[in-house]
């Protein structure tokens, strides 16, 4: 099946630092998505990328869809305490209205006061 | 803002018992999904459902699993004879079918003892 490798697995940073994480896949996806998950909650969509090479920002978040459509990165600038959580990339396949998400293994972000 | 709601938030059941997890998708959505997340692991696709039929299912979705849309609002996941390894968070999601990403519910934590 399709595999998404996400790195790093975990990050310990100080408040105010920038964060970078990435995802690579053995398969091509139509869309790349980045989600954040807080403990006991469902994934919340942060950024969606639709075209190869696309660079998209959402506030302090920036993500890019790789040219090969097999990779993506997410950057968070000037981290704040509420950025703590687990970040998942997901590759989306879309077929006549039906979609399927393949999730990465997650990056756990911890902010040291 | 419309949301996907799931009940119960936490279910504890004995091994071998049947459980039904319930979801109320967003009202104008046509495509429905179940995903599973074993504690500490990534989110995994189980099944997609459209027009009262399963569109796609993963190898995890074996004969002990079934889905149903019993009325115009609910979407359910039934596990016939639960096993210890079924313990996980189960997320329902729904989408319109246009190329807009699915919305996730808050999840049901299933604990099999």
């Amino acid at each position: 099946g399709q595999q998404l490798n996400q790195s790093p697995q975990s990050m310990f940073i100080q408040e105010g630092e920038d964060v970078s994480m990435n995802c690579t896949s053995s398969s091509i996806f139509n869309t790349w998505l980045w989600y954040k998950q807080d403990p006991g909650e469902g994934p919340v969509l942060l950024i969606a990328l639709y075209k190869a090479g696309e660079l998209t920002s959402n506030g302090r978040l920036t993500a890019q869809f790789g040219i090969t459509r097999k990779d993506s990165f997410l950057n968070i600038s000037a981290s704040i305490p509420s950025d703590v959580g687990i970040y998942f990339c997901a590759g989306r396949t879309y077929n006549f209205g039906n979609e399927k998400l393949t999730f990465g293994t997650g990056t756990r972000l911890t902010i040291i006061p | 803002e419309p949301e996907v709601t799931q009940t119960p938030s936490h279910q504890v059941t004995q091994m071998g018992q049947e459980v039904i997890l319930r979801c109320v998708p967003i009202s104008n959505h046509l495509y429905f999904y179940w995903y599973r997340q074993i504690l500490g692991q990534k989110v995994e696709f189980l099944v997609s459902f459209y027009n009262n039929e399963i569109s796609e299912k993963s190898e995890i979705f074996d004969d002990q699993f079934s889905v149903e849309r019993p009325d115009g609002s609910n979407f359910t996941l039934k596990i016939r004879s639960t096993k210890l390894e079924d313990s996980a968070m189960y997320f329902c999601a729904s989408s319109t079918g246009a190329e807009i990403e699915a919305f996730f519910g808050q999840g049901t934590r299933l604990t099999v003892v």
Side-chain angles (χ1 to χ4, degrees):
Chain A
Q2 295 166 322
Q3 299 275 350
L4 261 65
N5 296 309
Q6 193 170 340
S7 64
Q9 278 189 317
S10 60
M11 303 183 74
F12 294 84
I13 62 165
Q14 291 199 317
E15 185 177 346
E17 285 186 28
D18 296 343
V19 171
S20 185
M21 59 191 80
N22 67 77
C23 219
T24 58
S25 167
S26 56
S27 307
I28 290 173
F29 289 103
N30 306 120
T31 306
W32 278 91
L33 308 167
W34 284 92
Y35 288 87
K36 179 174 183 274
Q37 186 178 30
D38 293 327
E41 305 280 328
V44 174
L45 182 66
L46 299 174
I47 287 184
L49 301 158
Y50 300 100
K51 295 180 185 174
E54 179 181 352
L55 182 72
T56 296
S57 293
N58 178 9
R60 293 178 297 106
L61 308 178
T62 303
Q64 184 157 32
F65 192 158
I67 290 288
T68 64
R69 293 165 64 192
K70 291 185 176 181
D71 62 295
S72 177
F73 71 74
L74 174 71
N75 289 341
I76 306 172
S77 63
S79 57
I80 60 177
S82 61
D83 291 335
V84 165
I86 303 177
Y87 291 81
F88 289 99
C89 62
R92 177 171 176 253
T93 52
Y94 179 82
N95 184 21
F96 298 106
N98 186 51
E99 72 166 60
K100 175 183 166 185
L101 298 179
T102 302
F103 281 82
T105 45
T107 296
R108 181 181 294 274
L109 180 63
T110 303
I111 294 182
I112 305 163
Chain B
E1 187 177 315
E3 58 180 18
V4 176
T5 56
Q6 291 184 242
T7 55
S9 55
H10 189 190
Q11 171 117 27
V12 182
T13 189
Q14 288 203 320
M15 192 168 56
Q17 295 294 304
E18 174 183 287
V19 293
I20 297 176
L21 309 183
R22 301 181 192 279
C23 170
V24 178
I26 295 172
S27 62
N28 65 334
H29 285 188
L30 302 174
Y31 294 81
F32 314 111
Y33 311 89
W34 283 100
Y35 287 81
R36 180 183 82 173
Q37 185 180 32
I38 294 171
L39 185 64
Q41 297 187 23
K42 65 181 181 180
V43 178
E44 299 173 291
F45 171 79
L46 289 179
V47 66
S48 58
F49 188 86
Y50 169 71
N51 200 25
N52 283 319
E53 287 184 346
I54 290 175
S55 305
E56 186 175 354
K57 59 183 182 179
S58 72
E59 55 194 28
I60 302 169
F61 194 88
D62 61 23
D63 291 345
Q64 69 160 345
F65 290 93
S66 62
V67 289
E68 195 178 29
R69 188 150 161 83
D71 53 44
S73 59
N74 289 286
F75 178 52
T76 61
L77 174 69
K78 182 193 291 186
I79 309 175
R80 256 180 279 284
S81 176
T82 50
K83 302 191 279 268
L84 294 176
E85 54 265 37
D86 293 328
S87 295
M89 284 287 283
Y90 288 82
F91 294 105
C92 174
S94 69
S95 69
T96 61
E99 287 206 52
I100 299 171
E101 291 62 48
F103 287 79
F104 280 80
Q106 298 284 73
T108 293
R109 178 175 296 283
L110 176 65
T111 303
V112 182
V113 296

